[in-house]
Amino acid sequence: MGPLNQLLLVLPLILLPSSLASCANSCNRRGTCNIYSECVCQDGWQGSSCTERVCPFGNAFSDKASADDSAHAMEECSGRGTCQRGSGICSCMEGFTGKACDRTWCNGDCNSNGRCVSMSELASSTRDENSMQYTYSNVWDADKIYGCICDEGFTGYDCSLVECPTGDDPLTTGQVDEVQLLKCSSDPSEASSTFAVYYQGKVSPTIQASATQSEFETALESIAGMGDLTVTFSVGATSVCQTADTNVVQIKFNENFGSLSPLVPYVDDLLPVGSTIDVSADGTTSYTDYLGTIHYSVKGTKENEVCAGRGTCDYQSGTCECYTDNGDVYGSSNSLGAAGTRGDCG
């Protein structure tokens, strides 16, 4: 047999696998058939004949670590749901939502009494009770774990409960209200010199460096949850900020009891550049004003208990049901131990 005849015999053997390759339903036009009669499916499809849809992937909530500090690999439906192969839609487990079941959900969407936010958004858009702000990003669960930020007056994990008034226990005596001190070094003649004050994460309106005692008090009282205050300037001081003569501002909390969070100033817009505001809220640090008078901050020692500790809270209505046991009758106070409209049992 000559070389040409040998070549002709080999060629059919080489072409035979490809010519006989066949896939079911021609992969339903969603893939290609390889030489092993296997469908190589297009993106979004899987299965022996490319009839099953692939569902969205997300970082797994739990999985086996692949190395030190390496886990939460991409997984279909984030490992928190099952893929509906006919539609390519994830059916999420209870408590999870998103196209890839890739985040937790807020029960009842916070019942219209709050906002459902991720931990990343919580960190970037809010401040804690000490008015400190943090960042939480580049972490696997930063945009996966969600929770409710309740509106003022509401509480509970889903903001479904109404807060009751708090107050000072009327049976305890010898206690005092909190007094914080503030001193501002800035030029009050600069019309564009302004600042703001945070309290428990909530901010005041813009305050002029030239604000008077009453203007400063009004601005602070406009902070949500602040309540009534008594603001006092050093004798003779006419503006909250001074350049040379130190004005020590005393801020007495009349309706918020107990050891309170410090006021936190925002000073980026104070002029001239380098102007400062100092706050004393520790009960020990003192400030001396331009007259030589020494002022001390005072930590509050009154209780700040729900219903003043002398009643039970109806969290459906937000009202206190005051005790009437043993002949003692408690009712709403004025924050000073007398009858009033506070709504507590103090």
Side-chain angles (χ1 to χ4, degrees):
M1 182 182 294
L4 180 58
N5 290 332
Q6 291 178 344
L7 179 61
L8 292 175
L9 287 174
V10 171
L11 283 175
L13 295 177
I14 296 175
L15 296 174
L16 184 60
S18 177
S19 63
L20 295 180
S22 176
C23 291
N25 297 321
S26 299
C27 301
N28 288 285
R29 298 183 179 180
R30 296 169 185 141
T32 57
C33 188
N34 66 18
I35 61 174
Y36 304 107
S37 297
E38 296 173 336
C39 286
V40 179
C41 300
Q42 299 169 357
D43 289 344
W45 297 91
Q46 68 172 34
S48 60
S49 57
C50 302
T51 57
E52 300 177 354
R53 290 184 180 272
V54 176
C55 282
F57 278 63
N59 291 105
F61 279 86
S62 60
D63 65 356
K64 185 176 180 180
S66 58
D68 289 346
D69 298 322
S70 181
H72 307 287
M74 298 296 287
E75 186 174 343
E76 197 171 30
C77 299
S78 305
R80 287 297 180 268
T82 56
C83 181
Q84 303 302 312
R85 296 300 174 193
S87 62
I89 296 174
C90 290
S91 180
C92 302
M93 298 177 184
E94 185 175 0
F96 297 87
T97 188
K99 290 183 177 180
C101 305
D102 51 352
R103 67 178 182 87
T104 58
W105 68 301
C106 294
N107 189 54
D109 198 25
C110 305
N111 290 286
S112 299
N113 298 322
R115 295 186 299 121
C116 184
V117 301
S118 67
M119 292 198 294
S120 175
E121 183 180 351
L122 173 67
S124 65
S125 65
T126 62
R127 294 170 182 254
D128 69 9
E129 64 178 11
N130 291 316
S131 299
M132 299 299 292
Q133 191 168 25
Y134 303 93
T135 58
Y136 193 79
S137 58
N138 300 321
V139 185
W140 77 271
D141 60 353
D143 294 306
K144 295 177 73 67
I145 306 298
Y146 277 64
C148 291
I149 300 177
C150 297
D151 297 335
E152 192 74 23
F154 294 91
T155 188
Y157 77 98
D158 59 355
C159 304
S160 62
L161 305 179
V162 184
E163 291 182 329
C164 282
T166 59
D168 177 40
D169 187 337
L171 298 188
T172 57
T173 60
Q175 298 165 315
V176 296
D177 293 315
E178 176 124 348
V179 178
Q180 298 188 14
L181 307 179
L182 178 147
K183 60 178 181 177
C184 172
S185 175
S186 178
D187 187 355
S189 67
E190 289 275 5
S192 57
S193 182
T194 62
F195 65 98
V197 175
Y198 283 90
Y199 175 67
Q200 292 188 344
K202 302 176 180 67
V203 68
S204 72
T206 299
I207 303 170
Q208 297 291 136
S210 59
T212 64
Q213 180 174 295
S214 63
E215 290 171 339
F216 186 49
E217 182 176 287
T218 299
L220 292 181
E221 288 179 343
S222 69
I223 300 174
M226 178 63 82
D228 182 64
L229 302 172
T230 299
V231 172
T232 307
F233 284 6
S234 293
V235 175
T238 58
S239 63
V240 62
C241 296
Q242 302 282 346
T243 49
D245 299 331
T246 301
N247 171 29
V248 176
V249 182
Q250 299 179 74
I251 302 145
K252 179 174 174 286
F253 294 76
N254 298 321
E255 294 185 332
N256 284 325
F257 302 139
S259 178
L260 302 178
S261 302
L263 299 172
V264 176
Y266 176 83
V267 300
D268 286 7
D269 297 322
L270 275 179
L271 296 174
V273 175
S275 296
T276 60
I277 295 179
D278 296 310
V279 172
S280 170
D282 58 9
T284 58
T285 303
S286 64
Y287 293 153
T288 303
D289 65 19
Y290 73 103
L291 296 173
T293 304
I294 301 175
H295 302 269
Y296 293 91
S297 60
V298 178
K299 291 306 296 178
T301 56
K302 293 181 177 180
E303 292 83 14
N304 189 41
E305 298 182 14
V306 174
C307 299
R310 298 296 158 180
T312 57
C313 177
D314 180 352
Y315 285 102
Q316 298 305 308
S317 63
T319 56
C320 291
E321 299 174 358
C322 300
Y323 298 151
T324 58
D325 299 337
N326 302 319
D328 295 324
V329 178
Y330 299 95
S332 178
S333 79
N334 64 350
S335 304
L336 300 173
T341 59
R342 184 180 177 94
D344 60 0
C345 300

